[in-house]
């Protein structure tokens, strides 16, 4: 046989093998990720769509029949690392992918719960996560599963085998950086933030090539720091010393630790930024841009298009990282492109998502002692007596502040229903005694300059799931829970809202009335985010179970409400029984 013919036949055979290979060798594309909110046979993105509304159009499971919901299987994460399971599952091609505490990834068969593979990141001894060893989820693209680790790395795994495709360091863990958020993928780029605001890091958002992990752009979110685009300088963020005195901007905090959302209509990424460092506000005069803010970022260049600061000159650790959810509504007869954010500071914000214009702020918790509201320009009306006092040689004046630093809403994502037009907010009613202390920056050391004790403010509850009308700012209904709520929310066209409780329950509520319709005891606190999808003609619901996160670490006097909750680590999957 001639060499040319032999090579041609070999090439044809290779093509035939490739064509015969299962579709699973490829995987979700950019277009499929952007359509995730309307596709019902999978869950491809954190938030069930790039806008992260966490709304499913499925109606097979409804408020009429949810009481019949039963478990299909429970899959254990095993080992001794069972604490703080805050992840949202990803579902694709008959497989459920979940991340676990201590930077682990699992692939389970979506029909049987059998484990397909497990990946454990090799974490160094010196990691410094401020708020437990959690991970909130992975991203999927093509043949890859991508997630962040506690030693500030981004890892891509082959989704079929669990083998490492690439592994990139995104920051220095020895300086206090870490990473816990689920990445977001836009236009073939994996886009992530960073964690570590309690260590005087510099918050940033960056984009990497999803196939190679190579850096495309890097955008610090503290003014004075230089951004980059394809290896070249790309402009300083803000204006140096405009709202930070001296060198305070160099260790300014503002960690982007929750990740972001994306709006294809405006081609904007929305990332929230965390607290300024240190907590002691008397050491950093000014608004301290762009901490405690929402930033709109151009995904192609990393340029900041607009910003809105929810707590200028924050003195209470009111991170502004909470998710900004795009939605459309008609207000006063005018169709508008809006975005909503339930902030840690206790206020629910409505902005024009095209330009960041402030349209309203509504209190969604029992009390906000730090401010009485917001003026027409969108600035808080501070109650000056309730800012912690400046320290002298020892601690400064103690004040009582509400919400506590754990927030009116913390990381746990809310949901928006396209059916009811309501937002469903997992909130907490609590306060704290807080005081300032002297502090100086030291690399890798906690950079707070404050002390605190969290206290309850109500006899019958701490947690409260609240349905809020964004057009009026009114709370339509609320469900009160004795222990804090620390898990995400799911809503569906079947008139349902799902969320979990630290007491171990996954619960379903009537989306219009708030009536509790169903609950199931998972054996440990539910602090993950539930999802739903259609498989083999049936609707499924899944959630992670495993108590942990920041609450048991920092709970103070409220800890008695959850002192008997057991840790755990498992994936629970439910469906209706076949008639």
């Amino acid at each position: 046989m001639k060499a040319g013919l032999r090579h041609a036949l070999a090439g044809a055979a290779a093509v035939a093998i490739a064509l015969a290979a299962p579709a699973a060798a490829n995987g979700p594309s950019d277009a499929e990720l952007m359509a995730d909110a309307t596709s019902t046979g999978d869950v491809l993105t954190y938030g069930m769509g790039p806008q992260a509304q966490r709304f499913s159009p499925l109606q097979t499971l409804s408020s009429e029949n949810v009481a019949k919901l039963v478990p299909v299987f429970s899959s254990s994460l095993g080992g001794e690392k069972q604490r703080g399971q805050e992840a949202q599952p990803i579902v694709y091609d008959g497989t459920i992918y979940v991340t676990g505490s201590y930077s682990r990834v699992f692939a389970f068969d979506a029909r049987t719960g059998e484990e397909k593979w497990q990946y454990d990141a090799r974490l160094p001894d010196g990691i410094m996560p401020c708020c437990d060893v959690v991970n909130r989820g992975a991203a999927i693209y093509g043949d890859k599963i991508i997630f962040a680790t506690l030693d500030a790395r981004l890892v891509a795994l082959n989704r079929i085998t669990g083998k490492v495709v690439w592994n990139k360091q995104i920051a220095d863990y020895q300086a206090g950086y870490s990473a816990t958020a689920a990445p977001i993928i836009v236009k073939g780029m994996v886009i992530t933030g960073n964690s570590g605001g309690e260590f005087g890091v510099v918050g940033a958002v960056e984009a990497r090539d999803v196939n190679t992990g190579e850096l495309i752009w890097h955008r610090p979110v503290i003014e004075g720091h230089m951004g980059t685009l394809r290896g070249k300088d790309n402009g300083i963020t803000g204006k140096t010393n405009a709202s930070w005195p001296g060198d305070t901007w160099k260790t300014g905090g503002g960690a982007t630790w929750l990740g972001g959302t994306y709006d294809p209509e405006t081609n904007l990424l929305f990332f929230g930024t965390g607290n300024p460092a240190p907590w002691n506000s008397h050491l950093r005069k000014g608004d301290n841009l762009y901490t405690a803010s929402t930033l709109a970022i151009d995904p192609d260049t990393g340029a900041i298009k607009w910003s809105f600061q929810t707590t200028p000159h924050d003195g209470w650790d009111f991170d502004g990282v909470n998710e900004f959810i795009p939605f459309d509504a008609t207000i006063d007869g005018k169709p508008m492109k809006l975005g909503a954010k339930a902030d840690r500071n206790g206020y629910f914000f409505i902005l024009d998502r095209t330009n960041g214009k402030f349209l309203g702020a509504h209190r969604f918790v029992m009390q906000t002692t730090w401010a009485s509201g917001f003026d027409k320009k969108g600035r808080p009306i501070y109650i000056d007596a309730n800012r912690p006092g400046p320290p002298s040689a020892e601690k400064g004046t103690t004040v009582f502040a509400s919400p506590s630093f754990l927030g009116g809403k913390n990381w746990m994502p809310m949901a928006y229903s396209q059916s009811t037009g309501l937002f469903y907010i997992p909130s907490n009613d609590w306060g704290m005694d807080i005081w300032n202390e002297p502090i100086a920056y030291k690399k890798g050391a906690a950079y707070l300059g404050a002390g605190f004790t969290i206290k309850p403010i109500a006899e019958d509850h701490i947690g409260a799931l609240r349905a809020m009308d964004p057009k009026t700012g009114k709370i339509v209904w609320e469900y009160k829970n004795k222990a804090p709520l620390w898990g995400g929310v799911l809503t569906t066209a079947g008139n349902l809202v799902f969320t979990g409780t630290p007491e171990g329950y996954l619960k379903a509520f009537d989306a219009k009335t708030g009536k509790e319709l169903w609950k199931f005891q998972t054996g440990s606190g539910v602090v993950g985010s539930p999802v739903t999808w259609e498989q083999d003609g049936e609707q499924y619901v899944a959630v992670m179970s495993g108590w942990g996160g920041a609450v048991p670490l920092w709970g103070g006097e409220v800890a008695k409400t959850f002192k008997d909750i057991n840790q755990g680590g498992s994936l629970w999957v439910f469906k209706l029984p076949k008639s």
Side-chain angles (χ1 to χ4, degrees):
M1 184 181 293
K2 293 183 178 180
L5 178 60
R6 183 168 60 247
H7 289 158
L9 290 174
V15 171
I17 292 172
L19 292 174
N26 299 309
S29 64
D30 287 286
E32 288 174 295
L33 297 183
M34 292 302 101
D36 191 35
T38 54
S39 66
T40 56
D42 47 37
V43 179
L44 303 179
T45 58
Y46 187 79
M48 299 177 62
Q51 295 177 320
Q53 292 182 350
R54 298 185 177 273
F55 170 79
S56 170
L58 286 171
Q59 301 181 58
T60 302
L61 185 63
S62 71
S63 54
E64 300 297 322
N65 60 21
V66 70
K68 299 178 182 178
L69 197 64
V70 295
V72 180
F73 61 79
S74 175
S75 299
S76 174
L77 303 193
E80 299 177 354
K81 300 176 179 179
Q82 301 198 65
R83 67 184 248 202
Q85 310 303 343
E86 292 186 353
Q88 177 215 289
I90 294 291
V91 185
Y92 180 72
D93 193 32
T95 303
I96 302 175
Y97 302 94
V98 297
T99 59
S101 53
Y102 293 96
S103 305
R104 298 175 294 157
V105 186
F106 298 79
F108 295 108
D109 188 294
R111 293 177 175 85
T112 66
E114 180 181 357
E115 182 179 306
K116 294 185 174 183
W117 55 259
Q118 175 181 342
Y119 173 82
D120 290 36
R122 295 182 178 179
L123 298 174
D125 292 335
I127 58 172
M128 292 177 280
C130 92
C131 307
D132 212 357
V133 289
V134 302
N135 188 283
R136 298 188 177 94
I140 187 170
Y141 185 90
D143 62 354
K144 286 175 277 296
I145 291 289
I146 304 166
F147 82 115
T149 67
L150 288 169
D151 58 342
R153 304 189 73 88
L154 199 61
V155 182
L157 308 172
N158 181 283
R159 67 177 182 82
I160 304 298
T161 65
K163 301 298 183 183
V164 175
V165 178
W166 52 258
N167 184 329
K168 300 292 183 179
Q169 181 177 340
I170 60 177
D172 179 10
Y173 75 89
Q174 293 179 319
Y177 286 91
S178 57
T180 56
I184 183 172
I185 295 176
V186 176
K187 299 182 179 182
M189 297 179 289
V190 55
I191 300 169
T192 55
N194 58 25
S195 303
E198 274 59 56
F199 295 91
V201 305
V202 174
V205 180
E206 66 178 34
R208 293 177 178 269
D209 185 298
V210 73
N211 291 313
T212 67
E214 295 304 313
L215 183 66
I216 297 174
W217 55 257
H218 178 87
R219 173 51 56 192
V221 300
I222 302 297
E223 65 179 24
H225 294 270
M226 177 64 72
T228 63
L229 175 62
R230 301 192 182 279
K232 298 180 180 180
D233 288 351
N234 190 33
I236 290 175
T237 299
K239 181 180 179 182
T240 307
N241 292 136
S243 64
W244 292 85
D247 289 339
T248 56
W249 57 277
K250 294 181 178 180
T251 51
T256 50
W257 57 265
L258 192 55
T261 60
Y262 173 67
D263 178 36
E265 294 182 12
T266 57
N267 189 35
L268 290 174
L269 293 163
F270 301 110
F271 269 75
T273 64
N275 58 282
W279 287 18
N280 184 342
S281 62
H282 300 278
L283 298 179
R284 42 171 176 77
K285 304 295 184 182
D287 281 357
N288 311 132
L289 293 172
Y290 292 96
T291 63
S293 300
T294 292
L295 305 181
I297 299 174
D298 183 337
D300 301 309
T301 66
I304 296 174
K305 292 299 186 180
W306 59 255
S307 69
F308 180 81
Q309 193 170 36
T310 48
T311 313
H313 194 50
D314 172 34
W316 304 269
D317 188 34
F318 288 155
D319 291 45
V321 297
N322 307 69
E323 68 284 353
F324 182 80
I325 299 181
F327 72 108
D328 296 337
T330 299
I331 298 179
D332 297 329
K334 181 182 179 181
M336 301 187 71
K337 295 184 182 302
L338 305 173
K341 175 182 183 179
D343 199 88
R344 197 146 146 178
N345 66 21
Y347 286 90
F348 179 82
F349 293 87
I350 301 293
L351 306 179
D352 182 327
R353 72 176 185 267
T354 67
N355 55 23
K357 180 182 178 181
F358 173 77
L359 299 176
H362 311 283
R363 183 166 57 87
F364 66 91
V365 293
M366 283 179 60
Q367 61 182 18
T368 55
T369 65
W370 67 280
S372 59
F374 281 72
D375 64 23
K376 293 181 179 180
K377 295 182 179 179
R379 289 190 67 86
I381 304 168
Y382 288 110
I383 302 173
D384 292 334
N386 286 336
R387 179 182 292 272
S392 53
E394 298 182 359
K395 73 176 188 179
T397 304
T398 298
V399 300
F400 177 78
S402 183
S404 78
F405 78 90
L406 288 177
K409 189 179 88 67
N410 200 277
W411 78 273
M412 51 280 193
M414 64 182 178
Y416 171 71
S417 171
Q418 296 176 17
S419 297
T420 65
L422 301 178
F423 279 88
Y424 301 95
I425 306 171
S427 64
N428 289 301
D429 294 321
W430 45 17
M432 62 179 173
D433 287 334
I434 182 170
W435 58 90
N436 285 323
E437 301 169 345
I439 190 71
Y441 174 77
K442 180 181 179 181
K443 179 182 176 180
Y447 190 42
L448 299 184
F452 49 82
T453 301
I454 295 181
K455 296 182 174 182
I457 60 173
E459 294 184 0
D460 61 341
H461 76 285
I462 297 173
L465 178 64
R466 293 182 166 116
M468 176 165 275
D469 186 337
K471 296 181 180 180
T472 64
K474 303 295 184 183
I475 295 173
V476 177
W477 59 258
E478 65 179 5
Y479 158 80
K480 294 180 179 179
N481 195 72
K482 182 178 180 181
L485 292 182
W486 209 251
V489 182
L490 162 71
T491 186
T492 78
N495 190 37
L496 291 171
V497 175
F498 289 89
T499 198
T501 74
E503 292 90 342
Y505 289 102
L506 177 64
K507 294 190 174 187
F509 302 87
D510 186 299
K512 296 176 183 176
T513 67
K515 180 182 178 181
E516 184 179 313
L517 303 174
W518 172 87
K519 66 179 180 180
F520 181 85
Q521 175 57 247
T522 66
S524 183
V526 176
V527 292
S529 296
V531 295
T532 188
W533 73 99
E534 195 171 41
Q535 180 176 283
D536 303 327
E538 299 179 283
Q539 185 176 350
Y540 287 72
V541 175
V543 74
M544 297 296 295
S545 171
W547 177 233
V551 177
L553 296 177
W554 307 108
E557 292 184 21
V558 307
K560 61 185 179 182
T561 66
F562 50 77
K563 63 182 178 62
D564 297 323
I565 298 172
N566 293 320
Q567 292 181 346
S570 57
L571 166 71
W572 283 90
V573 175
F574 305 86
K575 72 177 182 68
L576 292 175
K578 290 185 177 180
S579 57

